[in-house]
Amino acid sequence: MSTPPAPEPCEPRPALVFDDPLDQQSSDDTDRGWGEQPSGTDSAADLKRFLDEKPPHHI
C-alpha cells in the first residue's frame, strides 16, 4: 500500500469586510475621466469642444 500524499499548506483566505461601502469614495464620485477640459472661458474653445464631442448622427 502507498501512503497518502502530505496535505499542502492552505493559503489564508482574505478576511470578510462588513464596512458600509457607501462610506467610501469610489472612482465614480470624482469627475476624473468624464471629459473635463482645462478651465477656459474662450468661446472658440467651447465651439471646438462642442464639435469634437458631437455624436456622429448630429452632423
Side-chain angles (χ1 to χ4, degrees):
M1 287 192 165
S2 63
T3 59
E8 296 181 19
C10 296
E11 295 182 23
R13 293 184 180 177
L16 294 176
V17 179
F18 292 101
D19 294 339
D20 186 2
L22 299 178
D23 288 341
Q24 302 169 3
Q25 185 179 27
S26 70
S27 60
D28 290 342
D29 293 337
T30 63
D31 288 335
R32 190 174 331 125
W34 287 94
E36 67 274 358
Q37 299 291 326
S39 60
T41 57
D42 184 18
S43 61
D46 289 341
L47 177 61
K48 181 181 181 324
R49 179 179 176 201
F50 172 75
L51 293 174
D52 288 344
E53 295 182 358
K54 188 187 315 184
H57 61 276
H58 284 213
I59 296 179

